[in-house]
Amino acid sequence: MADKVINVANTKDSATESSVSEASMVVHFSKKYFFEDKEYEEIDLSTLEDMTATDMIAANKVLEKSGSFSFLPEMSLEYACIISARATKMPLEFFQRLHPRDAIKVKNKVTSFFYGEG
């Protein structure tokens, strides 16, 4: 009698996949961060999924007005802060005042979002 082979690799339910992808867009700060009298331990960047090219163009305009120029703006820390602020509806200053280690985590998450597989 032949044994039946069951492929369990594709048995994930969509709710599980959704929560995993959302969780992967959360940046956990290296230490507690205080901004405008509120404490933050993380920031959820899953709202990057709702961005459009119009948002990216607006971020480029903010970058240009600041006097910055880059051939690949989406690779810069400043652009990542602008995009993150726009996506999360947080003030730009929230991201500009992050600890350097956490700012790089945000930049890496944004860059991965733009250039990662998906």
Side-chain angles (χ1 to χ4, degrees), residues 12-56:
K12 294 180 187 174
D13 64 284
S14 61
T16 302
E17 286 180 14
S18 174
S19 65
V20 169
S21 68
E22 286 177 18
S24 69
M25 293 303 292
V26 174
V27 175
H28 299 278
F29 298 143
S30 59
K31 60 183 184 178
K32 292 179 183 176
Y33 175 55
F34 293 91
F35 181 79
E36 295 182 350
D37 299 325
K38 189 172 177 188
E39 180 182 297
Y40 297 87
E41 294 183 10
E42 64 187 25
I43 188 76
D44 183 0
L45 297 177
S46 63
T47 51
L48 287 168
E49 293 287 344
D50 301 327
M51 305 279 300
T52 66
T54 301
D55 294 308
M56 295 175 72

Side-chain angles (χ1 to χ4, degrees), residues 62-74:
V62 171
L63 196 62
E64 290 169 4
K65 284 182 183 179
S66 75
S68 293
F69 175 78
S70 175
F71 286 108
L72 292 171
E74 63 278 4

Side-chain angles (χ1 to χ4, degrees), residues 3-12:
D3 290 330
K4 194 175 195 179
V5 176
I6 300 173
N7 185 356
V8 294
N10 295 325
T11 59
K12 294 180 187 174

Side-chain angles (χ1 to χ4, degrees), residues 1 12 19 24 26 34 37 45 49 57 60 64 70 77 81 91 95 101 104 113-114 117:
M1 189 177 342
K12 294 180 187 174
S19 65
S24 69
V26 174
F34 293 91
D37 299 325
L45 297 177
E49 293 287 344
I57 292 165
N60 277 332
E64 290 169 4
S70 175
L77 177 58
C81 289
F95 294 96
R101 196 172 288 143
I104 293 299
F113 173 77
F114 285 134
E117 295 180 29

